[in-house]
Amino acid sequence: MNPSNLIGEYDLSIGLDNFRQDVLHGLTKLPKTLPPKYFYDARGSRLFDFICETPEYYLTRKEISILEKYGSQILEQIPHPIRIIELGSGSSIKTRLLLDAASAVTAYIPIDISKEHLLRSTHALAQRFPHIPMVPVCADYTRQPALPLFDRGRRDRSLVFFPGSTLGNLDEDEALALLQSIRHMLRGDGYFLVGIDLLKDPKIMEAAYNDAERVTAAFNLNLLHRINVELDADFKLNEFQHKAVFNAREKRMEMHLRSVRHQVVWIKDVPIPFGKDETIHTESSYKYDLHEFAAFCRKAGFQSVRSWTDAEHYFAVVLLQTTPAKPNHRYIKPRLSLGGE
Ligand SMILES: C[S@@+](CC[C@H](N)C(=O)[O-])C[C@H]1O[C@@H](n2cnc3c(N)ncnc32)[C@H](O)[C@@H]1O
């Protein structure tokens, strides 16, 4: 039975047609690509949780350590009461730390593309925080950036929480468009708390995406398994290999799947030829410099309030506040609005 503070759910799942269209688009161009958001079916979400537990994947542990140490200090910067909207909430592990540190939360709205995982995590969180109303939203935040706002007549502020360095999976234009739509949603009066992975020794970053137990390899290959199952394709998983390297010019980790030989893969009735060693670029994870990141956020209408890092400066949690809109502010209109302005 659902806890009484778990108030319905919004289901704006992407749908199979969009999945097929994105896969065919990515695999019929050169170089071949697939959008990383499709990693997260139920199995992919579980594999991501296992990645977070590998010794090499420092990102989760570092971000948790920052939130544990500075959670109260972070929340003190924001006038309460607040409603928290989380993007890519996953297992909502880090949310618990925020909810523990906040003094008055009027609503928690997690948004994630992976429905089963989202509902399970929100259910568990609703039991743990029975006084906070929660509304899970299954959606692609790059497609539906105008998010539901609850009790809009009230004076509570919104805090958009985006942990996990998931912003780093978007390239510069996509990240700017998302930040601008978040700013629009906040209506010029809100906060944005984002976790970002910082530039560091490439060996440390490459190890994080090449764990010895090969969990990240399984996560990467699961995308092909998902395409086989959902789109009637015939990828042979043992004929593709996980590859993760740091691209210094682009300041990003890249994950690829490398075809070990010449082959043709069928996606239902569409042939996709692969050369030997040709790769599908499945994920970019941009790594940031804190000053450059603050300057980037200013372009989207946010000013940095404060940032916190771990002792080794591997990871940062950055608090931003909306700046008043300029008349000529470039704004990219969201495609779908759920009760926005
Ligand atoms: C890197 S994981 C981070 C999970 C969690 N926030 C954390 O910090 O551990 C990315 C999360 O974002 C979700 N996600 C990825 N792309 C998305 C999109 N376009 N729209 C909605 N959710 C997305 C995934 O399902 C996954 O839960």
Side-chain angles (χ1 to χ4, degrees):
M1 207 169 89
N2 279 342
S4 60
N5 58 326
L6 190 56
I7 306 168
E9 67 192 50
Y10 278 88
D11 188 350
L12 301 161
S13 307
I14 297 184
L16 212 53
D17 285 347
N18 284 317
F19 181 34
R20 181 180 296 106
Q21 213 176 331
D22 287 349
V23 167
L24 289 179
H25 174 72
L27 295 184
T28 49
K29 63 179 192 177
L30 286 177
K32 292 182 170 63
T33 62
L34 285 171
K37 64 188 174 195
Y38 292 119
F39 280 136
Y40 299 95
D41 61 355
R43 184 163 180 266
S45 294
R46 277 197 304 278
L47 283 167
F48 179 75
D49 284 349
F50 291 134
I51 290 176
C52 294
E53 286 169 21
T54 61
E56 296 89 344
Y57 198 77
Y58 59 86
L59 292 85
T60 304
R61 274 186 299 280
K62 291 294 188 191
E63 190 172 27
I64 287 178
S65 74
I66 296 168
L67 292 171
E68 276 174 349
K69 190 163 174 190
Y70 300 111
S72 308
Q73 218 179 77
I74 294 170
L75 270 295
E76 272 167 21
Q77 317 286 321
I78 306 168
H80 281 49
I82 49 169
R83 77 195 79 173
I84 299 178
I85 299 158
E86 182 170 359
L87 304 183
S89 48
S91 292
S92 293
I93 301 286
K94 297 157 190 167
T95 326
R96 291 181 199 171
L97 301 169
L98 272 198
L99 296 181
D100 277 336
S103 57
V105 178
T106 53
Y108 171 60
I109 305 159
I111 297 164
D112 203 289
I113 204 166
S114 185
K115 188 172 174 187
E116 237 180 274
H117 206 66
L118 167 76
L119 296 183
R120 202 176 28 251
S121 309
T122 316
H123 190 280
L125 210 64
Q127 283 179 323
R128 189 166 161 157
F129 296 92
H131 56 290
I132 302 177
M134 302 195 178
V135 189
V137 178
C138 177
D140 175 352
Y141 49 64
T142 61
R143 282 175 177 258
Q144 282 120 356
L147 308 169
L149 295 170
F150 293 83
D151 294 332
R152 283 187 294 134
R154 291 174 56 171
R155 288 189 168 269
D156 48 355
R157 284 208 167 66
S158 290
L159 167 67
V160 174
F161 181 41
F162 197 16
S165 203
T166 311
L167 181 69
N169 295 148
L170 302 178
D171 68 26
E172 200 174 320
D173 287 350
E174 293 168 330
L176 188 62
L178 181 62
L179 290 191
Q180 286 175 329
S181 63
I182 293 170
R183 190 187 177 288
H184 177 71
M185 178 189 73
L186 293 173
R187 292 178 291 157
D189 182 23
Y191 289 81
F192 180 43
L193 185 66
V194 57
I196 54 169
D197 196 22
L198 300 177
L199 278 163
K200 61 185 74 60
D201 181 347
K203 283 200 211 80
I204 297 166
M205 297 188 283
E206 288 190 340
Y209 295 78
N210 286 293
D211 62 281
E213 284 176 80
R214 304 193 52 74
V215 186
T216 312
F219 173 75
N220 200 1
L221 283 160
N222 182 56
L223 183 50
L224 302 187
H225 173 70
R226 179 178 186 185
I227 295 171
N228 280 351
V229 173
E230 294 185 27
L231 301 183
D232 193 13
D234 67 352
F235 278 104
K236 293 183 187 66
L237 267 54
N238 59 352
E239 297 193 345
F240 287 85
Q241 280 180 354
H242 166 73
K243 178 178 157 193
V245 285
F246 182 61
N247 179 333
R249 192 167 49 90
E250 301 291 343
K251 299 183 185 164
R252 68 187 189 202
M253 278 298 304
E254 290 181 3
M255 292 213 307
H256 294 257
L257 288 163
R258 183 179 70 83
S259 170
V260 298
R261 63 175 183 88
H262 287 283
Q263 56 183 311
V264 176
V265 173
W266 289 82
I267 299 185
K268 204 170 164 77
D269 47 6
V270 181
I272 310 285
F274 283 89
K276 183 175 178 328
D277 294 329
E278 185 180 354
T279 75
I280 311 170
H281 183 174
T282 51
E283 186 187 72
S284 295
S285 299
Y286 284 86
K287 307 297 169 186
Y288 299 95
D289 164 277
L290 261 177
H291 294 290
E292 285 174 14
F293 185 69
F296 175 70
C297 292
R298 276 198 295 277
K299 281 204 255 175
F302 284 96
Q303 68 194 22
S304 184
V305 175
R306 202 167 156 185
S307 58
W308 295 262
T309 65
D310 56 287
E312 291 169 297
H313 290 268
Y314 277 15
F315 201 92
V317 173
V318 184
L319 180 64
L320 300 134
Q321 187 177 9
T322 50
T323 48
K326 294 191 190 110
N328 63 349
H329 194 78
R330 190 168 77 91
Y331 168 63
I332 297 168
K333 195 173 184 299
R335 275 189 248 165
L336 174 71
S337 169
L338 292 176
E341 278 144 72

